[in-house]
Amino acid sequence: MNELRFPEHFLWGAATAAYQIEGAARDDGRGPSIWDTFSRTPGKVYQGHTGDVACDHYHRYADDVAIMAELGLRAYRFSVAWPRIQPDGTGPVNTRGLDFYDRLTDTLLARGIDPIVTLYHWDLPQSLGDRGGWTNRDTAEHFATYATAVYGRLGDRVDVWTTLNEPWCSAYLGYGNGVHAPGEQDPAAAFTAVHHLLLGHGLAARALRSAGARSVGITLNPADVRPADPQSAADAAAVRLVDGLHNRIFLDPLLAGGYPDDVREHVARIVEPTFIRDGDEKLIAAPIDLLGINYYQPGYVAGRPDGEGNAAYPGTEGAVHFLPPTGPLTDMGWMIEPAGLTRLLERIATDYPGVPLLITENGAAFPDKPGVEQAGGPGQVIDTDRIAYLDGHLRAAHEAISRGVDLRGYLVWSFLDNFEWAEGYRKRFGIVHVDYLTQRRTPKASARWYQEVISRNGL
Ligand code: FCB
């Protein structure tokens, strides 16, 4: 294979999220989140796993940062747990919660690793959940207050701020098909949540900026939606609909001034959008400095009157058939198609020009185990499938750059094996293996491979 070089100053790093790794669910005044509740609800998470202990990163962060430094990571994307900062979601700030992120930030900086903060990676304080969560407009206002508190503590040392992680998941999986917390199944609630999440982004971004933040963005998981049959007009219409509900409903208000007409009309068939108030779209459309892209797999759809649709895409019943993934799959059952990443990056750069892109997540789950059936000797994890996945996607990212996409960096998901939401601990995405009984960390072969990629700035 060819040698590839990435641009100078390309940002290499890894990502995690608070609920997935921290544990310490009751420490230092942390309040409950909707994920604490959801993971305790029978049948919602694989074998009733919870984030109570997770990777115990809250106590082991210094050792974890030492591993990052050894691997040569230049950036580390972590999320702040709102329930640590405001245990009830509103009201007084819990300084002990802020202290943790303060220590983490200093430890990263001492090792020359840039912190990239995500303010919301799905762990909404339960008391806000009790008041309707993201279906309540007040949650967006509270989010901005919380963001200001975090900025007040870390803003002197953290340069890159992102508001939300994948609002598509928060809205459609949280309130549409109910696979994520809070587990509701209500199409009207899902669309209401979409708007309030975007509003929360807009309010928080404005607050961060007025507090002095220079780099403010958001992370989406835009989908590369493909037609089952490229010649079929019905399939093209299905692509248009799903693209509207997954991509343009977020990208247009953020980067093109407001919601697209076709999406508005679709939503209005399900819920009267009285939740969109004058001025909201203007606020949401304020320029951002960075768009985070999380990419894992493409999706194929067909337009069919007998299509079963998907509750995560309200209103697609009787219109869209979502094709089951085919070809090589990861342990999540997700398709491995690196070309989807090139297409997605190019499409965003073309349709929404002018905003620098950062891959804030990309990676794969495989059922790796240390030692036993692996060839690398005791305690080693030889995850060649993950290396192949990462290699393919980095080549795809490089291809996008060579076609002119302004891609600034790549953060692998994930630094550690962790709590994979509804799948619990059974899916492993880390480049570093975690033994959940001993909390022992073992860098996998992919971590050593990535270390080499970073040191060469290429493949
Ligand atoms: C993304 C999430 C992240 C992780 C990966 C596998 O949707 O942002 O927390 O679970 O998927």
Side-chain angles (χ1 to χ4, degrees):
M1 289 229 182
N2 311 346
E3 264 204 36
L4 295 181
R5 243 329 114 76
F6 281 77
E8 227 189 308
H9 307 303
F10 193 75
L11 202 58
W12 295 103
T16 63
Y19 191 74
Q20 295 180 277
I21 64 162
E22 286 177 359
R26 301 284 169 271
D27 283 43
D28 296 333
R30 178 185 176 277
S33 80
I34 57 173
W35 270 96
D36 295 278
T37 308
F38 189 73
S39 60
R40 283 177 170 66
T41 309
K44 296 299 186 187
V45 173
Y46 175 73
Q47 288 191 354
H49 292 173
T50 73
D52 284 2
V53 177
C55 308
D56 195 33
H57 172 77
Y58 191 80
H59 299 114
R60 294 166 194 266
Y61 72 91
D63 294 343
D64 288 338
V65 173
I67 299 172
M68 294 176 205
E70 190 202 318
L71 297 178
L73 303 191
R74 309 270 160 73
Y76 174 53
R77 170 181 181 251
F78 61 91
S79 79
V80 175
W82 188 348
R84 290 197 192 282
I85 311 306
Q86 287 175 298
D88 284 325
T90 60
V93 167
N94 172 33
T95 25
R96 286 180 300 163
L98 283 173
D99 291 345
F100 169 67
Y101 299 103
D102 202 88
R103 292 192 292 275
L104 173 60
T105 298
D106 282 345
T107 308
L108 289 165
L109 291 173
R111 299 276 194 168
I113 302 169
D114 290 346
I116 297 180
V117 167
T118 301
L119 285 162
Y120 183 74
H121 201 125
W122 309 352
D123 43 0
L124 188 73
Q126 182 59 49
S127 51
L128 294 180
D130 294 342
R131 285 178 258 163
W134 290 105
T135 65
N136 184 340
R137 188 177 172 97
D138 293 345
T139 298
E141 303 275 353
H142 296 315
F143 179 59
T145 308
Y146 149 73
T148 309
V150 180
Y151 186 84
R153 186 65 174 272
L154 304 180
D156 57 338
R157 282 154 294 150
V158 171
D159 291 333
V160 182
W161 292 82
T162 56
T163 53
L164 307 174
N165 175 70
E166 301 190 1
W168 180 87
C169 293
S170 302
Y172 293 109
L173 303 184
Y175 298 89
N177 70 3
V179 166
H180 280 184
E184 281 182 37
Q185 293 175 309
D186 173 358
F191 287 130
T192 311
V194 166
H195 183 68
H196 291 152
L197 282 152
L198 284 168
L199 181 66
H201 157 80
L203 290 166
R206 186 175 70 183
L208 291 169
R209 264 190 220 295
S210 69
R214 284 188 311 272
S215 181
V216 180
I218 183 171
T219 282
L220 303 178
N221 58 325
D224 176 50
V225 191
R226 315 292 300 168
D229 172 2
Q231 310 301 326
S232 153
D235 292 2
V239 168
R240 176 88 181 149
L241 174 58
V242 173
D243 179 64
L245 295 178
H246 196 121
N247 297 326
R248 291 179 292 114
I249 199 171
F250 294 104
L251 288 163
D252 280 30
L254 288 165
L255 299 169
Y259 292 107
D261 291 341
D262 62 317
V263 173
R264 255 178 195 277
E265 284 157 24
H266 180 88
V267 171
R269 285 197 281 275
I270 291 167
V271 54
E272 186 60 43
T274 49
F275 45 80
I276 306 175
R277 298 200 190 153
D278 281 356
D280 287 0
E281 283 170 289
K282 185 158 185 251
L283 180 76
I284 295 164
I288 52 174
D289 305 290
L290 190 75
L291 177 65
I293 304 288
N294 294 353
Y295 173 82
Y296 292 93
Q297 62 164 345
Y300 286 80
V301 298
R304 285 206 210 147
D306 65 344
E308 67 297 337
N310 181 330
Y313 298 89
T316 53
E317 312 78 22
V320 181
H321 169 61
F322 290 81
L323 276 71
T326 54
L329 305 179
T330 71
D331 197 30
M332 295 292 279
W334 294 351
M335 282 175 81
I336 303 177
E337 197 173 304
L341 177 60
T342 313
R343 290 191 297 256
L344 187 67
L345 292 170
E346 267 200 291
R347 183 270 173 107
I348 292 173
T350 307
D351 289 358
Y352 308 93
V355 58
L357 306 179
L358 174 67
I359 294 175
T360 35
E361 288 180 24
N362 173 248
F366 289 107
D368 26 48
K369 288 199 184 68
V372 218
E373 72 265 36
Q374 312 274 348
Q380 292 202 34
V381 181
I382 310 300
D383 53 342
T384 38
D385 33 18
R386 184 172 291 101
I387 294 175
Y389 181 98
L390 299 176
D391 180 87
H393 286 77
L394 282 174
R395 289 177 191 278
H398 191 277
E399 179 61 24
I401 295 171
S402 66
R403 296 187 198 170
V405 173
D406 182 8
L407 179 67
R408 301 289 174 91
Y410 177 92
L411 310 177
V412 67
W413 185 271
S414 178
F415 173 59
L416 297 173
D417 289 336
N418 60 47
F419 175 82
E420 177 44 39
W421 308 112
E423 299 292 342
Y425 296 98
R426 73 166 155 171
K427 304 295 182 192
R428 294 181 174 273
F429 273 92
I431 57 170
V432 174
H433 182 272
V434 176
D435 176 336
Y436 295 111
L437 293 175
T438 60
Q439 291 295 350
R440 187 191 151 96
R441 274 64 162 149
T442 309
K444 302 176 190 176
S446 57
R448 298 298 172 205
W449 171 87
Y450 193 45
Q451 176 176 23
E452 182 73 22
V453 171
I454 297 172
S455 78
R456 292 207 219 166
N457 196 35
L459 295 161

